Amino acid sequence: MDAELEQILDDIGPRLRALRRDRGLTLEALAATTGISVSTLSRLESGSRRPTLDLLIPLARAHRVALDELVAAPATGDPRVHLRPLRRGDGSVLVPLTQYPGRVQVFKHLLAPREPKLVTHEGYEWLYVLAGELRLILGEHESTLHPGEAAEFDTRQPHWFGPANTSTVEILHLFGPRGDQAVVRASPSLRDVVS
């Protein structure tokens, strides 16, 4: 085996561990999602077990990343993100807009009407309404956001968001797994300069 291939294989374990930790998952939770035993996952992450396709494919699905991201396949030089919509059973559509797991993941999200269910998890979210009206519940507080409006919050606070009525809502959704916040950099509007 050549040195480059050996290095690619050696780097998969630490990449798997970092990806799991970035998502706030325990080995037990990942084992429950993938059907891979905790001991096998641990050995993969430590590098004491070589990764195989039958192990990497369920891990890529669980982390919602492409298989080539797990193995750090060489870049092809094409910077475009190849949009692959993920359709959910409730009628919602999630379109990943970033290719590689990193500090902040970006999605275009078409949310279908559904019942509110508050959740909590590690991370930080930023939402921007493109079309429709978004209902956002943060603990005891509820807001309705319209096109052009944004919200950001720590996801350890109980939260839910979805359509404010019976129509779908289209949003940009940024998620930082380690509590990263979105930073908006924009020139002041003419109205701000004049006032």
Side-chain angles (χ1 to χ4, degrees), residues 6-185:
E6 188 71 33
Q7 186 62 52
I8 288 172
L9 291 173
D10 288 345
D11 291 343
I12 292 173
R15 190 173 300 106
L16 288 171
R17 177 178 289 122
L19 190 59
R20 177 180 58 80
R21 287 180 176 168
D22 281 350
R23 284 164 169 57
L25 295 172
T26 63
L27 285 170
E28 292 77 13
L30 188 56
T33 303
T34 61
I36 301 170
S37 73
V38 171
S39 63
T40 299
L41 290 171
S42 178
R43 289 193 325 266
L44 278 171
E45 289 185 1
S46 70
S48 62
R49 177 162 181 171
R50 286 285 187 202
T52 59
L53 278 177
D54 60 325
L55 296 172
L56 291 176
I57 289 172
L59 288 167
R61 285 183 182 147
H63 291 308
R64 292 189 327 228
V65 298
L67 188 58
D68 63 342
E69 295 172 36
L70 290 182
V71 298
T76 62
D78 184 355
R80 292 175 296 176
V81 176
H82 300 284
L83 305 178
R84 292 183 183 93
L86 306 169
R87 299 188 190 291
R88 301 228 167 127
D90 64 2
S92 295
V93 178
L94 185 70
V95 183
L97 300 178
T98 48
Q99 297 188 77
Y100 299 101
R103 295 177 50 132
V104 176
Q105 294 291 299
V106 182
F107 305 94
K108 179 178 177 184
H109 213 156
L110 298 165
L111 296 162
R114 63 189 191 285
E115 289 298 314
K117 180 183 174 191
L118 296 176
V119 296
T120 60
H121 50 88
E122 290 294 319
Y124 201 86
E125 290 185 323
W126 184 83
L127 311 172
Y128 178 82
V129 180
L130 296 168
E133 294 182 341
L134 180 73
R135 180 179 174 199
L136 173 62
I137 301 173
L138 290 173
E140 301 290 321
H141 184 73
E142 185 172 326
S143 303
T144 300
L145 284 75
H146 300 91
E149 293 184 314
E152 60 181 327
F153 54 93
D154 186 320
T155 58
R156 292 175 294 185
Q157 181 176 4
H159 65 280
W160 176 89
F161 52 89
N165 50 44
T166 58
S167 300
T168 59
V169 63
E170 183 176 358
I171 65 171
L172 283 180
H173 179 187
L174 283 73
F175 174 73
R178 293 180 296 258
D180 296 333
Q181 294 181 349
V183 176
V184 179
R185 290 184 171 84

